[in-house]
Amino acid sequence: MTAMLPYGRQSVTDDDVAAVVATLRSDWLTTGPQVDAFEADLAGWTGGAGCAAVANGTAALHVAYAAAGVGPGDEVVVPPMTFVATASSAVALGARIVFADVEEGTFTLDPAAAAAATTARTRVVAAVDYAGHPADYDALRTALAGSDALLLADAAHSIGATYRGRPVGSLADLTTFSFFPTKNLTTAEGGAVATADPELLTRARRFRNIGLVRERAELREPDEGGWHQEVHSFGLNYRLPDVLCALGRSQLRRLGDFLAARARLVARYDEALTDLPGVLTPTRRSWAAPAWHLYPVRILDGRRREVYDRMRAAGIGVQVNYLPVHWHPAFADLGYRRGSCPVAEAFYAQQLSLPLYPGLTDTDQDRVIDALGAALRGVTAPTAA
């Protein structure tokens, strides 16, 4: 019997291993030359926006919110169709979360809902590029006209995607990435914050480095000596070490190949599933070139749980992405209630992520397609021998 097909999987080559080994044999394991080089390489995918590499995607969000000045009394607008960290990392800074619903089709933040949720207390509006499809950033900018709120792109799913020909990373005031193993490239654990604003970038880099200030012109005690460093505002140790940045640099060289492989697999799924009764395939807007981190189908007629269980029994590692954030008990305990974001909640009731990663073979993908068809017919497909 073959092992269960996961819904996502990293792609690691001998070149990746060699890059890590070379760094292990160097003078630097933690913050060193590979960090600067990785950040420069990332900027090649963000339209030149400066980058701060951090320990993981949640850290990236926390760093970005801190750089934006989020604190007690502030509000942060978040769509519920995302991983909980998009909201919880702002709560950790004392913010109040205001949930705004998503658009039908892409299930990214609805600009009209974002505008309705924005008040004088809104510090940040966080859009999420769900499944790798960019949110409608021009419409979001228009919706926020007249507000002092910063626009944040949670691009954990979408590095390498483009919106109206412009790269993700250049579309918002702040952008966050995740390099978890199932994402479009990996540093094992890791993330990054991107911004074209030099002041925001400085704040991000300081916060991820415990708040340390070393620039002589900014020191309050500049004559202490060459060793001197100060903390002017508190930060955390969210640094990404040289070893993992070396892996990230090697992975970035293949990001274009990863994106092409995912696009080819998405096209095969689309062709095979478009006419399958009981399933809706993902939507793509004409102005987007998604990165396709996920392949999220919708299972109709209230059968998502049944289909999930049958496919799992057949060895297909389908997943559900995500429980609406305001449904988590931590938010329910704060008074958030179901029914407030009907589009996201209806989507959650149907959503199922099929396996998608660059190393997925056509044979394995055909197995997924066959298992889905069998599950919809009410039978469990046999696991592969």
Side-chain angles (χ1 to χ4, degrees), residues 22 26 46 56 83 125 135 137 167 174 194 203 212 231 235 253 257 261 273 275 316 320 342 346 362 370 375 385:
S26 75
T46 63
N56 53 62
F83 185 59
V125 172
Y137 287 97
L174 289 152
R203 291 180 194 168
L212 291 173
V231 172
R253 296 183 188 108
D257 294 336
L273 302 179
D275 296 324
I316 308 299
V320 172
D362 288 358
D370 291 344

Side-chain angles (χ1 to χ4, degrees), residues 6-216:
Y7 90 95
R9 175 183 282 161
Q10 69 273 18
S11 175
V12 175
T13 66
D14 289 344
D15 287 343
D16 295 334
V17 173
V20 170
V21 170
T23 304
L24 286 169
R25 289 174 173 160
S26 75
D27 291 334
W28 297 89
L29 294 183
T30 184
T31 307
Q34 291 294 332
V35 176
D36 291 340
F38 182 49
E39 291 175 346
D41 290 349
L42 279 172
W45 288 89
T46 63
C51 297
V54 297
N56 53 62
T58 300
L61 287 159
H62 196 191
V63 168
Y65 287 137
V70 170
D74 291 329
E75 294 178 350
V76 174
V77 175
V78 175
M81 191 44 54
T82 183
F83 185 59
V84 65
T86 311
S88 62
S89 52
V91 173
L93 291 164
R96 175 179 176 268
I97 301 301
V98 179
F99 289 103
D101 212 349
V102 296
E103 290 188 312
E104 184 69 39
T106 65
F107 305 102
T108 58
L109 182 61
D110 183 339
T118 300
T119 71
R121 294 182 297 277
T122 304
R123 176 72 66 169
V124 173
V125 172
V128 176
D129 294 345
Y130 180 76
H133 192 295
D136 193 344
Y137 287 97
D138 287 351
L140 286 167
R141 289 287 191 192
T142 299
L144 298 181
S147 168
D148 293 330
L150 294 178
L151 180 60
L152 181 145
D154 181 342
H157 295 182
S158 62
I159 187 168
T162 60
Y163 167 84
R164 301 188 187 276
R166 288 135 49 198
V168 165
S170 68
L171 306 170
D173 299 302
L174 289 152
T175 302
T176 62
F177 297 112
S178 171
F179 307 131
F180 189 72
T182 58
K183 297 300 196 298
N184 294 2
L185 71 111
T186 189
T187 58
E189 285 277 8
V193 178
T195 178
D197 185 320
E199 183 176 354
L200 289 175
L201 184 61
T202 295
R203 291 180 194 168
R205 287 177 169 168
R206 285 182 179 170
F207 189 85
R208 62 102 188 256
N209 194 32
I210 318 173
L212 291 173
V213 176
R214 294 191 175 99
E215 294 81 2
R216 191 169 183 82

